[in-house]
Amino acid sequence: MSNPTPYDFFDMKSLLSEEERQVQQLVRRWVDEKVQPVIADAFDEHRFPSEMIPEMAEMGLLGCNLEGYGCAGLNNVTYGLICQELERGDSGLRSFVSVQGSLCMFPIHTWGSEEQKQKYLPGMADGSIIGCFGLTEPDGGSDPGTMKTHAKRDGDDWILNGAKMWITNGGIADVAIVWAQTEDGVRGFLVDKGMEGFTTRDTLKKYSLRASITSELFFDHVRVPESNRLPEANGLKSPLTCLTQARFGITWGAIGAAIGSMEEALGFAKERILFGRPLTHTQTIQRRFADMTRRITTAQLLSLQLGRLKDKGEMHPTQVSLAKWNNVRMGLDIARDARDILGAGGISVEYSPIRHMLNLESVITYEGTETIHELSVGRQICDGVNAF
Ligand code: TGC
Ligand code: FAD
């Protein structure tokens, strides 16, 4: 019997395959060597470190759980572990990978024509084509069914009008997956950068996800060929299905942010001498680290079982909702507590918890707010009654 360790208290490692462990180690090492030394400055400078895209692509992280077209074909648990390690670095990197893989490559892979798959997927896997996903609009992201962006058929083309807001990667994207209302319901369109009438504007002065690009997208009579419509995407269910993929990764990513925060605070508390003894020798500090360990461990086991269900094709969207709600709340609470344990130093970007905490303020809002996930779970257990 081995001693439980802080960040793997229930020996989750033993539940992973050799391949899952190896990929996790690879990404962890890369984050420690390449991301940790520079990410605080990138956050401070409000800069997405796009120079890291080729390296992430080289490691096979983009669209890693998809098959073919240059994708790595890894299982979903491995995808989750990748998200965890990236977000231990910064939510901005995990966001980039979530959007590229789960929100952009996934719909092309699932509902695209063969021509679209050949045109976009290999380039998206090797990082030469960047995608963004436009669902949210200024009038209320929680209720995308009321979207105003619309596309009208005009011969062999569609005419797209409207606007999207809060779009990750928008300003650097080569292609935007845009969800629009049509006479036949919601449909998905591949809007290429440079199409006439399509413009973007970056959202500046954010206090969260500063190492990530967030933008508005504007469509003013953009002529989109029918060949750029996702032929098999049909109704609001399609974008919501993409969200389920990305939310799954977020449940793991939040664990990474929590671990990153706790590592920093625990290292500090062991060294900080107050009242003649290290902080870790006091009862309340031990209780706080014990509580962090309890919550991280619970989240790890939740996400692992979710991943095993997903790999068997048995994962239900409301299970993802419960895990996103639980794990992001856990990550945010731990980041805040770790920030406090660091004392005044904790407000400096020199330490990671405040960065994780600020980032998680976005993560708890995007991909469905905490309330939306609570109501999704509530609806599931209360006979499907919709209380939204
Ligand atoms: P509702 O009637 O519930 O559903 C319509 C149809 O969709 C199906 N469905 C889902 N399918 C797959 N996954 C899910 N999560 C699904 N949720 C619903 C549902 O079964 C139904 O199918 P059918 O066959 O009966 O037509 O729709 P509703 O209008 O009542 O809305 C439900 C609600 C509130 C849960 C949904 O609108 C919602 O999830 N709202 C939150 C929106 C959201 O999360 N937006 C995120 C935008 S993208 C983003 O934030 C990216 S951040 C990326 C980053 O940087 O990492
Ligand atoms: P609203 O929907 O206006 O919600 C406001 C408040 O009302 C929230 O607290 C909410 O929980 C609450 N609320 C809503 N409905 C109810 C109800 N029925 N009962 C009680 N309370 C309710 N979107 C994309 O499409 N693509 C992206 O790439 C993307 N990236 C993002 C990146 C960042 C950094 C951020 C912050 C957001 C991003 N989003 C993206 C948008 C995100 O998905 C939305 O912000 C989110 O869905 C919430 O929508 P909203 O901001 O309009 O809030």
Side-chain angles (χ1 to χ4, degrees):
M1 184 177 56
S2 54
N3 278 333
T5 55
Y7 311 110
D8 190 13
F9 210 70
F10 268 45
D11 195 17
M12 195 177 107
K13 219 183 299 118
S14 67
L15 301 174
L16 302 178
S17 70
E18 191 52 35
E19 183 183 59
E20 287 163 351
R21 274 185 259 182
Q22 279 177 6
V23 177
Q24 180 179 17
Q25 281 304 327
L26 173 80
V27 181
R28 178 180 293 171
R29 254 198 320 274
W30 179 76
V31 168
D32 283 341
E33 287 168 12
K34 300 289 180 70
V35 178
Q36 300 292 22
V38 300
I39 196 66
D41 283 343
F43 184 92
D44 190 39
E45 294 156 13
H46 211 316
R47 184 182 74 80
F48 171 63
S50 54
E51 64 279 8
M52 292 179 184
I53 297 174
E55 291 185 50
M56 289 193 279
E58 180 73 18
M59 287 187 286
L61 308 190
L62 308 181
C64 68
N65 54 350
L66 301 175
E67 295 283 346
Y69 305 97
C71 303
L74 299 172
N75 70 5
N76 289 292
V77 168
T78 314
Y79 170 52
L81 290 162
I82 289 169
C83 289
Q84 176 182 310
E85 294 309 324
L86 290 175
E87 199 147 353
R88 196 172 60 85
D90 192 87
S91 304
L93 287 176
R94 197 272 309 136
S95 259
F96 176 83
V97 166
S98 292
V99 170
Q100 181 81 349
S102 291
L103 295 184
C104 296
M105 296 172 74
F106 170 82
I108 297 173
H109 196 273
T110 308
W111 303 298
S113 65
E114 189 53 36
E115 194 190 349
Q116 290 167 348
K117 292 179 197 181
Q118 298 288 354
K119 180 176 170 190
Y120 293 101
L121 291 178
M124 295 181 90
D126 73 21
S128 57
I129 300 176
I130 307 301
C132 71
F133 177 90
L135 180 65
T136 303
E137 301 195 352
D139 286 343
S142 297
D143 187 13
T146 57
M147 71 177 70
K148 294 200 174 70
T149 297
H150 60 275
K152 202 163 184 282
R153 196 69 200 246
D154 184 37
D156 286 341
D157 300 329
W158 295 82
I159 306 297
L160 183 65
N161 278 292
K164 299 287 177 180
M165 200 173 177
W166 301 111
I167 306 304
T168 302
N169 300 345
I172 55 164
D174 301 288
V175 59
I177 314 281
V178 179
W179 300 94
Q181 205 56 259
T182 72
E183 277 182 358
D184 299 321
V186 172
R187 295 289 182 269
F189 297 88
L190 297 159
V191 181
D192 295 313
K193 184 180 185 165
M195 279 185 170
E196 205 176 329
F198 171 38
T199 52
T200 68
R201 180 171 62 202
D202 288 348
T203 306
L204 304 172
K205 299 189 180 175
K206 287 177 293 163
Y207 282 71
S208 172
L209 274 178
R210 288 172 65 84
S212 170
I213 293 166
T214 316
S215 318
E216 291 170 86
L217 313 180
F218 303 101
F219 311 99
D220 182 8
H221 293 85
V222 183
R223 184 169 285 277
V224 183
E226 163 67 4
S227 57
N228 277 39
R229 185 176 66 82
L230 292 169
E232 305 297 331
N234 190 358
L236 189 60
K237 191 182 173 82
S238 297
L240 295 183
T241 302
C242 300
L243 298 185
T244 294
Q245 313 307 311
R247 290 166 178 171
F248 167 77
I250 289 172
T251 74
W252 290 83
I255 298 168
I259 290 175
S261 300
M262 180 172 158
E263 281 174 331
E264 193 93 90
L266 185 57
F268 172 86
K270 284 181 181 174
E271 302 291 325
R272 188 71 157 180
I273 310 291
L274 292 170
F275 301 98
R277 56 186 175 166
L279 264 184
T280 46
H281 293 203
T282 64
Q283 280 192 354
T284 55
I285 291 285
Q286 284 202 6
R287 278 191 67 190
R288 287 159 81 178
F289 284 123
D291 193 53
M292 289 185 198
T293 303
R294 170 181 69 83
R295 297 183 71 175
I296 288 172
T297 304
T298 316
Q300 284 171 325
L301 295 173
L302 200 58
S303 280
L304 181 62
Q305 171 62 359
L306 194 67
R308 295 292 180 225
L309 288 173
K310 184 161 166 50
D311 279 325
K312 283 193 286 180
E314 292 174 7
M315 182 184 81
H316 191 274
T318 53
Q319 293 169 329
V320 184
S321 281
L322 189 140
K324 198 236 172 201
W325 160 25
N326 181 76
N327 292 13
V328 179
R329 168 54 61 191
M330 171 283 299
L332 185 54
D333 290 348
I334 287 179
R336 282 177 178 160
D337 206 26
R339 206 285 318 140
D340 178 73
I341 289 172
L342 290 161
I347 70 157
S348 164
V349 78
E350 296 294 318
Y351 290 102
S352 67
I354 194 157
R355 180 165 48 80
H356 286 305
M357 180 188 109
L358 292 169
N359 284 339
L360 289 166
E361 290 292 346
S362 284
V363 180
I364 206 161
T365 289
Y366 70 32
E367 296 277 3
T369 65
E370 187 171 58
T371 304
I372 288 298
H373 292 296
E374 287 169 336
L375 293 175
S376 293
V377 174
R379 179 167 71 176
Q380 184 65 29
I381 57 183
C382 296
D383 306 319
V385 174
N386 195 340
F388 287 103

